[in-house]
Amino acid sequence: MIQRISPDQARLGMFVTSVGGSWLSHPFWRSRFKLTSQREVDRLRTSSAEFVEIDTDLGFGPVEKEATQLKSGRGRVGRIGENVERSLPRKALSFAANMNAEFRAEHARANRTVARAKSVVSEIFSAARLGKDVPVAQALALVAEINRLFDRGEHLLIEMVRMKTADEYTHLHSVAVCALMLKFARHLEMTEAEIRECGLAGLMHDVGKMHIPSALLHKPGALKDDEFELIRSHVTKGHSILKGVASLPAGAVEVAHLHHERIDGSGYPFGLSGEQIPQIARMAAICDVYDALTSNRSYKKAWLPAQAMQEMLALNNHFDGELTQKFAESIDIFNSLPQSDQDSERLAKAR
Ligand SMILES: [Fe+2]
């Protein structure tokens, strides 16, 4: 049964089906998830979310006492949409203020990193366009900065870059693939050097597009065969740009060249299949398509993360199935996949 509660009633083991308010008012970007850590519970309780809806068939309901208090109005913990702070004890109030300040600080840090990322990606792209060496040192510093946010357990940046406008797509797609590759590599428990290589490869994977007319890259509607061919040539162009760059790890060059290969051999430029495709390129293919599907483009609306992931898991001839499962785990999305036939129907109607 779906029940609406106020955020301060959240507790461990509840299954959340929606959080009311703009996503900036709370730190939760998944639409369906179980509260499995006290940190998550605390963050939800002290967020500015307007309300929380829970499914009591899939998790715990509110504690009896609080439910009764809500009903009777005596000693209420707060009605939906009402400022609940008045009824919170002083200790809880200062804790809530600290948590909100912590969330604001996390948001500010992610914002600063996104701004820096935009300018580093601009430099990489213009160097590629002008035939200069791409600035590897700046790119590595950015990768390290994003990785430091993840070290602190802060992942807001991933959702901030996913919610890009169609105009921001070219630049922020590179940042998104970089961040997703980092998260993925960390989940696979790769070494520090491999994690950095994955991030760098994600940041530079589409550098060859700087030699493709932007009107063609953003063209809505169907493309002619020769237009497709020109777009596809971005992988060989990217390889040419990066192969001679000193101090660039080999994985970044491979990813620029091979991120459109498919596991069944139907990709390009070589039609490689299975393990002929290096693992780093198989990982990049997954991150690239996931971000493309979940972003707004000039010709399509963004899909929900769970919807995109479900489609990708079904496309077992495009991607490495085992890695796709690992990727889904890395972005912690299994809890937001459809939980019932009703959900699946809703998802199907939304397409
Ligand atoms: Fe590409």
Side-chain angles (χ1 to χ4, degrees):
M1 189 178 75
I2 302 292
Q3 208 174 332
R4 189 174 277 210
I5 59 169
S6 56
D8 61 319
Q9 286 179 281
R11 67 185 180 111
L12 275 173
M14 282 180 164
F15 190 93
V16 176
T17 57
S18 76
V19 181
S22 101
W23 76 275
L24 283 173
S25 65
H26 59 79
F28 295 90
W29 58 273
R30 288 169 294 157
S31 53
R32 299 172 60 90
F33 57 94
K34 198 162 194 167
L35 288 168
T36 53
S37 75
Q38 191 57 44
R39 182 175 154 86
E40 273 188 327
V41 173
D42 292 340
R43 296 183 93 190
L44 188 53
R45 289 179 79 113
T46 56
S47 72
S48 312
E50 287 163 21
F51 61 83
V52 180
E53 283 183 344
I54 55 168
D55 189 334
T56 53
D57 294 330
L58 298 172
F60 295 142
V63 290
E64 204 54 45
K65 197 170 146 221
E66 286 183 342
T68 318
Q69 283 172 337
L70 264 176
K71 251 188 230 164
S72 69
R74 263 186 302 114
R76 275 181 298 119
V77 289
R79 214 182 269 139
I80 306 308
E82 184 180 75
N83 181 354
V84 295
E85 290 186 355
R86 270 177 299 153
S87 55
L88 285 171
R90 186 169 299 165
K91 207 169 164 191
L93 262 178
S94 80
F95 180 67
N98 284 340
M99 287 302 291
N100 281 331
E102 195 187 306
F103 177 59
R104 278 198 301 275
E106 178 179 339
H107 188 263
R109 276 191 292 274
N111 236 338
R112 277 196 298 275
T113 303
V114 171
R116 209 163 3 252
K118 280 183 184 172
S119 102
V120 172
V121 171
S122 280
E123 280 187 48
I124 295 170
F125 284 179
S126 43
R129 206 177 290 121
L130 300 170
K132 295 181 180 170
D133 270 3
V134 292
V136 178
Q138 278 111 301
L140 269 174
L142 174 66
V143 168
E145 183 173 332
I146 297 173
N147 204 31
R148 266 197 305 277
L149 291 180
F150 296 165
D151 282 340
R152 303 168 68 117
E154 298 180 358
H155 302 105
L156 262 181
L157 176 134
I158 288 196
E159 190 58 3
M160 285 165 94
V161 291
R162 186 179 75 77
M163 300 181 92
K164 51 194 159 303
T165 63
D167 288 344
E168 293 173 317
Y169 184 80
T170 311
H171 286 69
L172 287 187
H173 173 63
S174 301
V175 183
V177 176
C178 165
L180 292 169
M181 284 288 274
L182 282 174
K183 196 112 202 301
F184 198 176
R186 291 168 65 101
H187 183 68
L188 295 178
E189 296 182 340
M190 290 179 153
T191 64
E192 275 302 309
E194 287 168 337
I195 292 170
R196 278 198 299 275
E197 185 172 8
C198 285
L200 199 61
L203 195 64
M204 301 202 176
H205 76 286
D206 263 347
V207 81
K209 285 194 175 163
M210 292 307 101
H211 290 287
I212 311 290
S214 81
L216 181 57
L217 292 174
H218 301 109
K219 185 179 168 178
L223 296 177
K224 295 182 204 139
D225 286 352
D226 58 330
E227 291 175 326
F228 258 128
E229 273 316 299
L230 190 52
I231 288 188
R232 285 178 172 169
S233 72
H234 79 276
V235 293
T236 45
K237 290 177 166 50
H239 178 246
S240 310
I241 292 166
L242 298 185
K243 71 179 178 199
V245 179
S247 72
L248 197 63
V253 187
E254 281 179 329
V255 164
H257 207 185
L258 304 175
H259 66 276
H260 285 286
E261 295 287 1
R262 286 180 185 166
I263 209 78
D264 65 352
S266 65
Y268 62 90
F270 302 120
L272 301 179
S273 62
E275 296 201 349
Q276 288 178 319
I277 310 166
Q279 178 176 314
I280 192 169
R282 281 180 271 146
M283 290 167 66
I286 295 166
C287 298
D288 181 27
V289 171
Y290 173 80
D291 185 63
L293 290 177
T294 55
S295 301
N296 284 310
R297 304 294 302 274
S298 48
Y299 48 84
K300 70 150 190 70
K301 279 231 172 286
W303 290 12
L304 292 170
Q307 183 188 4
M309 208 59 250
Q310 198 181 42
E311 292 287 341
M312 288 174 67
L313 286 164
L315 279 177
N316 50 12
N317 52 341
H318 280 214
F319 308 108
D320 179 321
E322 210 174 305
L323 278 179
T324 313
Q325 291 278 350
K326 292 278 180 198
F327 172 73
E329 282 169 27
S330 79
I331 53 169
D332 195 16
I333 209 161
F334 280 135
N335 283 332
S336 54
L337 282 171
Q339 305 288 326
S340 66
D341 288 348
Q342 230 182 355
D343 280 347
S344 300
E345 271 173 40
R346 257 186 253 137
L347 198 63
K349 277 183 197 152
R351 270 178 219 152

